[in-house]
Amino acid sequence: MDEIRKKAASKAQRVGFGAQQSRCRGTMGRMTDDTNDGKVVLPEHVRVRFCPSPTGTPHVGMVRTALFNWAEARHTHGTFVFRIEDTDAARDTQESFDQILEALKWLGIDWDEGVDVGGPNGPYLQSERGDIYADVAQKLLKAGYAYESYSTSEEIEARNIANGRPKAFGYDGYDRTLTDEQRQAFRDEGRKPALRIRMPEEDIAFNDLIRGRIEFKAGSVPDYVIVRPNGDPLYTLTNPVDDAMMNINVVLRGEDLLSSTPRQIVLYQYLIKLGIAKEMPLFGHMPYVMGQGKKKLSKRDPESNLFLHREHGFIREGLLNYLALLGWSIGAEQDVFSMDEMIKHFDVRDVKANPAHFDIDKAIAINAEHIRMLEPQDFLNRSVPYLHRDDVVSADSWDALTTREQRILHAAAPLVQTRVRLLGEVSGMVGSLLSNAGYIEPEADARKQLKASAGEVLAKAIEVLESASSDDWKTDTLHELLTKALVNEGGYKPRLAFGPIRVAVSGRRVSPPLFESMEIIGKDVTLARLRGLQNHL
C-alpha cells in the first residue's frame, strides 16, 4: 500500500499537480488573502449557483440554500445561476422538476442565468450535457489525472480483509499501477473500467467562508470514481465541471457536502491545468437544519415540506424571513425583516457554523408579523384562495367574488388581519360572517366554555336587541346596549355576559371582535343565531 502511494505521489508530481497552487484561490495551503476584519476576500464579481436534483418535494433545507445564494448574489450585485442536476434517471421526476420551479417562483427567488432564462454557459440541465462530461473525462484520463479501475466492490472488500483492514475500509488504490498488459487482460475478460481520480499524497486545506480553515490529511480521501463502468458520469465529475464551465467562483452549499470538498479541490486543480477551469472557487458550507429531537431535519419530516407550509398559510415573506434566520441574523435585536433588508445586510461570511434548529412556533410567529404588514387588499387577495379551498366563498380570486362577499370581507379585514398567524386560519375567522345560517353548531372548545347562566344571558340579549332599530345596529351602540343590560344591570361579569353571545354568533371560542361581527352580519341573522343557540343548550 505504501509503495502504491509513493508511486501515486510521484505520478502527481510528474503531471504537475502542485505547480500552480500559489495562483489558484481555494487550493492547497493558503487559498486567499484575508481582509483586516479576518474575512476571506470575495471575488470582484460574485457568481453563485443553485443546482438541486429533481428527486422529491422541495424542502426547507433546499430553499435555504437557494435563499442564501440568491441573497449573496443580490447583495454583491453578482450573478445567480440556476441549473438542474438531473442525471439520476432512477430517481429524477418531471413532477419534482416542476415543483422546484414553482417553489422558486412562488417565493420570488429569481435567477440571472439558467433554466427557463438561458445564458452563455448552457445547457443548464445536466441531462443535456453528457457529451461535455465524456470529453472532460477523456482529457483527464489522457493527462494521467484519472485512471481506469477494474476492481469490483467484492474484490476491494476481499483485499481489505486479506490485508487486515475492515471490510468497508474503502478503495485501496489497487488499479493505480496496473500495467498495460494487466488492463488488457481485464478487458479480455469482458470487464469495463470505471474512471477514478488520482488523489495526491499531500494535505488538502481551504478557508471555508463560514467555518474557517479546514484541513484533510494526506491519504484520508481515497481515489474516487467519476465515471461508472457503463459510462455514466457521477456527481463527483458533473458538479465541478459545470461549476468550472459556468465560471462559478463562490460555492455555497450544505454541510453534508463538506466531505466531498477535497475531491472537488483536486479535480478543480486538474481542470485548471487542462484549461477547462479559470480558477478555484471559494467554498462555504452552511450549517445543518435540525428538527425535533435535535436530529437533522429530513426531507421526509412534515416541517421540512415547503408546500405543506404554504398549504397551512405561510406567506412567502414570512417563510423566507424565518429560513434566513437558520444560520444568519440581521441583528441581535431584529428577527423580523423584509427581503430588501436582507439583501442590504447579507454576507455569507456572517453565517454561523453551528446547527440551526427549525422551530415551527417561531416560524409561525414571524409569519404573523408579516401578515400584519400586508396592505389590507393584498391580505384579502392572498386569503381568497384559502377561503375558496375551505368552501367559504364562491371563487378563488378576489375579482370573481360576489359583491356581498367582497363587502363582508372588506369589513372583516381589519378585524381578522391582526388576529391570524397563517392564511389558513382566515376561513375559521370569517366563515360565520359570510354565512347566512341561523344557527352555527359551536366547536367543542366553545361549547365547553358555556356556563349554567348562558340561557339567561341569551334570553336577556335577545330581549334587548329586538328593541334596537336597524339604524342603530352599529358596533358602538350594540356594545353600549349589551353592556348596560348584562353587565351594569344584570350583574354578569363581561366574560359570562359576552361569551355565550360570541359562541352563538361565531360558533367559536376565539373570533373577530364581537360587536363588529354583529354589525357585519346584521340584526336578523344575529337574533336568529342567539335563538338557535338558546334552543340547543
Side-chain angles (χ1 to χ4, degrees), residues 373-447:
M373 289 189 284
L374 295 176
E375 292 295 325
Q377 188 58 54
D378 189 15
F379 167 70
L380 289 173
N381 291 343
R382 298 196 200 197
S383 298
V384 168
Y386 293 88
L387 298 176
H388 184 255
R389 177 196 68 184
D390 298 336
D391 295 324
V392 175
V393 295
S394 60
D396 63 359
S397 67
W398 175 262
D399 291 339
L401 297 180
T402 66
T403 301
R404 174 181 175 273
E405 288 170 334
Q406 290 183 347
R407 175 181 59 79
I408 291 175
L409 288 175
H410 262 307
L415 312 178
V416 173
Q417 187 173 354
T418 58
R419 287 170 168 78
V420 296
R421 305 169 304 159
L422 301 164
L423 293 182
E425 297 173 348
V426 177
S427 295
M429 297 291 276
V430 303
S432 62
L433 305 180
L434 289 158
S435 172
N436 281 319
Y439 170 68
I440 296 180
E441 177 64 31
E443 296 178 356
D445 61 341
R447 180 174 286 279

Side-chain angles (χ1 to χ4, degrees), residues 436-466:
N436 281 319
Y439 170 68
I440 296 180
E441 177 64 31
E443 296 178 356
D445 61 341
R447 180 174 286 279
K448 188 180 296 185
Q449 79 165 13
L450 296 174
K451 306 301 180 183
S453 59
E456 299 173 358
V457 168
L458 291 171
K460 184 64 174 177
I462 293 169
E463 178 185 346
V464 171
L465 294 175
E466 281 180 330

